[in-house]
Amino acid sequence: MDMVIKIAFLVIFFAIMIGVGIYCRKQATDVNGFVLGNRSVGPWLTAFAFGTSYFSAVIFVGYAGQFGWKFGMASTWIGLGNAFIGSLLAWNILGRRTRVMTQHLDSATMPDFFMKRYDSKALKIAAAVIIFIFLIPYTASLYNGLSRLFEMAFGIPYAYCVIAMAVLTGIYVVLGGYMATAINDFIQGIIMIFGIVAVIAAVMNINGGLTETIALLSKESTTTAAGTEFNGAFTSFLGPDIFGLIGVVILTSLGTWGLPQMVQKFYAIKSEKSISTGTIVSTVFAIIVAGGCYFLGGFGRLFGTMGEDGKPVGGFDSVIPGMLENLSPVLIGIVVILVLSASMSTLSSLVLTSSSVLTIDFIDPVFCKNKAMDEKKKVLIMRILIIFFIALSAAIAIIQANSPVMFISQMMGVSWGALAGAFLAPFLYGLYLKRVPKIAVWINYILGVVISLASLYCNLTGVVFNNPVLDYFKSPINAGMLAMILGIIITPIISGIAPSKDKERVEKIFSCFNRKITVSSKHSIEED
């Protein structure tokens, strides 16, 4: 009976996802419809698409497990940073200007934006290559967290879980494109909100409620974790490692400003109302989902066993599944659907971004120099590439599961750091500053990729610098943070030393913000 309940949840969920894909197939006949939903996606769908692309099994299982174990209840700050920096500020600072300028430039992808904003085809191709390379391990990490929960709930081998998720996601994305993804994101987002609230309540109840659970956590010694000898650090305001906490907050919050799959959500905004509504909805969504995930993860030490190295037995990725394995069948079914929703929404966003970028920004300009591909051919290639990306990432996930080299958060950290480090500053300043030269963009590309790859090399080889600063930035999380901050600092400096000389072209681009529009009196007071 228990298994019947869990399977019933899955069957209903999958039927809805595929049904939405079939429903939206007529709107995915050209590039604009397949990639951007004809720029007509409403505020709620856009907000939920943004939020569900942000939070996945990597957050729920990987990051919540690892950083909850390291920082205790202070890991909740990561979720709040995601809400107020990664969502609220992102919408306010990037949302409107991204929508206006990308429509003015007729840009459908981030690499295409870089080409038209900075007048460089080479920048476009390089950005497409970076996205292709670094989104693959990020995509592969999604399967890992989800499949661990499937093994716990159903006893299904890891490989079968990966294949099932890959096939089902591929069906509705290939059929319906961005609109199917957006509608399913909305449904999945609703599931995520109610699911995380139910799970937190159930887990807290295991130890007698919130107060009792916090009291138990306060007795956990931090000697192994942080080199201190006092109790209660895991329930303190900033936890046992404030500098490590800051690094995670910056990467996972500010990093969204440079991730192509996140920024592209702003391209599809329908109207001004969508901006204001979307800002509020996505922020509240992030507070509940991200804040809830990290808050839950903060109690991981009460449900796991610490090894001699101070890490949980079974690894960080086993912390959250260990917290949930003794819940009722109904709650386990809810958890599985919760994490399935989070993972499939992010996976669909990533593969749609990868396929559109590779088609529009690499295959078309490199292999079709004399005659651009027609719309139908582009959409066909995108659909083929979606299948390719999903299959490739699934294969990597299966291979990586048999290797002890990296766990979920490391895989995501390297990808996130490289992409955000390379693209955040060029995209942000490209919307606001007229003087940014091409060389500044190239330097950001190089910084993001080199710093993240150097961090990956150090972790794979086990290099120890015996220097607190170098060892701090050896972490993929902190390396990504370093790349982003360096880009934000040096880009305006370079722009001041060697500003863009193509003033007339840039003025035409920024003229989109001076275009006059008519609004009702409730939105604007008429001047006398």
Side-chain angles (χ1 to χ4, degrees):
M1 184 62 183
D2 291 351
M3 188 62 67
V4 172
I5 293 174
K6 298 173 188 176
I7 294 175
F9 275 120
L10 290 179
V11 170
I12 294 170
F13 178 80
F14 290 143
I16 293 173
M17 298 301 105
I18 294 174
V20 169
I22 295 171
Y23 172 77
C24 295
R25 69 189 187 281
K26 292 182 180 179
Q27 300 185 45
T29 56
D30 59 13
V31 171
N32 193 41
F34 192 79
V35 178
L36 299 176
N38 294 312
R39 296 187 190 266
S40 61
V41 181
W44 285 82
L45 291 184
T46 301
F48 272 80
F50 185 89
T52 54
S53 297
Y54 199 162
F55 310 118
S56 65
V58 177
I59 300 293
F60 188 78
V61 178
Y63 274 23
Q66 179 184 356
F67 300 124
W69 184 275
K70 287 185 175 182
F71 307 130
M73 288 181 63
S75 63
T76 307
W77 284 110
I78 304 171
L80 296 178
N82 293 171
F84 294 107
I85 300 174
S87 297
L88 181 64
L89 279 182
W91 275 80
N92 278 294
I93 293 175
L94 301 179
R96 180 182 293 103
R97 294 185 79 93
T98 298
R99 173 64 170 81
V100 172
M101 187 177 282
T102 55
Q103 184 178 32
H104 179 69
L105 295 174
D106 191 24
S107 170
T109 65
M110 183 178 275
D112 193 44
F113 170 82
F114 287 141
M115 181 188 76
K116 293 173 179 176
R117 169 62 182 84
Y118 298 108
D119 192 28
S120 172
K121 186 177 179 180
L123 284 176
K124 173 180 180 176
I125 294 173
V129 172
I130 293 171
I131 291 171
F132 169 69
I133 292 173
F134 287 98
L135 275 189
I136 294 298
Y138 185 0
T139 307
S141 68
L142 300 176
Y143 297 101
N144 196 336
L146 176 69
S147 298
R148 285 178 180 271
L149 287 178
F150 261 81
E151 283 186 298
M152 178 268 290
F154 297 97
I156 301 174
Y158 179 89
Y160 296 152
C161 300
V162 170
I163 293 170
M165 178 181 166
V167 170
L168 290 163
T169 305
I171 290 173
Y172 78 76
V173 179
V174 167
L175 285 174
Y178 182 80
M179 186 58 76
T181 299
I183 293 175
N184 276 331
D185 286 348
F186 178 76
I187 298 169
Q188 292 160 350
I190 297 295
I191 294 171
M192 290 166 67
I193 289 174
F194 286 101
I196 192 64
V197 172
V199 170
I200 290 174
V203 172
M204 294 300 101
N205 191 54
I206 292 174
N207 292 311
L210 178 61
T211 302
E212 289 76 8
T213 305
I214 294 175
L216 286 173
L217 185 64
S218 68
K219 298 176 183 178
E220 289 287 324
S221 173
T222 63
T223 302
T224 305
T228 62
E229 296 181 354
F230 60 89
N231 292 338
F234 292 114
T235 56
S236 65
F237 188 68
L238 294 174
D241 182 9
I242 185 173
F243 294 107
L245 181 64
I246 290 172
V248 180
V249 170
I250 292 177
L251 179 70
T252 61
S253 301
L254 192 61
T256 60
W257 297 26
L259 297 181
Q261 74 274 15
M262 300 297 297
V263 171
Q264 196 162 331
K265 300 296 184 291
F266 298 135
Y267 289 33
I269 292 172
K270 183 178 181 179
S271 64
E272 180 65 26
K273 182 181 179 181
S274 297
I275 297 285
S276 55
T277 305
T279 301
I280 296 170
V281 173
S282 65
T283 302
V284 173
F285 180 85
I287 291 173
I288 297 172
V289 175
C293 286
Y294 286 110
F295 175 76
L296 180 66
F299 297 96
R301 286 175 176 265
L302 299 179
F303 298 87
T305 303
M306 184 188 298
E308 295 182 359
D309 58 356
K311 298 178 181 178
V313 175
F316 289 116
D317 299 340
S318 68
V319 173
I320 298 298
M323 297 174 71
L324 306 174
E325 61 185 356
N326 293 321
L327 298 181
S328 69
V330 172
L331 280 171
I332 289 179
I334 291 173
V335 170
V336 170
I337 297 301
L338 158 66
V339 182
L340 188 64
S341 297
S343 299
M344 290 180 69
S345 58
T346 305
L347 177 61
S348 62
S349 178
L350 293 176
V351 297
L352 187 59
T353 299
S354 299
S355 65
S356 60
V357 163
L358 197 60
T359 302
I360 297 171
D361 304 316
F362 187 79
I363 295 176
D364 191 17
V366 173
F367 297 101
C368 304
K369 296 180 180 179
N370 299 324
K371 184 180 179 181
M373 287 188 287
D374 60 39
E375 295 284 299
K376 289 185 178 181
K377 190 173 182 180
K378 285 182 181 179
V379 172
L380 175 61
I381 292 177
M382 286 182 204
R383 286 182 162 129
I384 293 172
L385 287 174
I386 285 171
I387 297 172
F388 168 74
F389 283 125
I390 288 179
L392 178 61
S393 60
I396 293 174
I398 293 172
I399 294 171
Q400 191 273 333
N402 298 314
S403 170
V405 174
M406 302 188 84
F407 43 85
I408 296 175
S409 60
Q410 285 182 308
M411 293 178 69
M412 181 176 172
V414 172
S415 299
W416 202 320
L419 293 167
F423 301 143
L424 191 157
F427 189 80
L428 173 63
Y429 289 123
L431 294 173
Y432 282 90
L433 297 184
K434 299 178 182 179
R435 295 162 57 90
V436 183
K438 299 174 189 176
I439 184 63
V441 184
W442 281 113
I443 290 174
N444 276 276
Y445 283 9
I446 294 169
L447 279 175
V449 172
V450 170
I451 290 176
S452 293
L453 289 180
S455 169
L456 176 61
Y457 173 79
C458 291
N459 280 277
L460 290 176
T461 57
V463 173
V464 178
F465 294 103
N466 293 319
N467 179 295
V469 176
L470 292 178
D471 284 329
Y472 176 78
F473 288 112
K474 185 180 76 171
S475 160
I477 305 292
N478 299 330
M481 175 189 69
L482 175 64
M484 287 189 295
I485 291 176
L486 286 177
I488 291 172
I489 293 172
I490 67 173
T491 300
I493 295 175
I494 297 171
S495 301
I497 297 172
S500 174
K501 297 178 181 179
D502 197 359
K503 293 183 179 180
E504 184 177 347
R505 186 187 63 83
V506 174
E507 288 293 340
K508 289 182 179 179
I509 292 175
F510 276 80
S511 67
C512 63
F513 298 121
N514 299 322
R515 185 168 61 89
K516 302 295 182 182
I517 60 174
T518 303
V519 298
S520 62
S521 296
K522 68 179 180 180
H523 295 301
S524 177
I525 299 175
E526 184 179 4
E527 295 183 11
D528 292 332

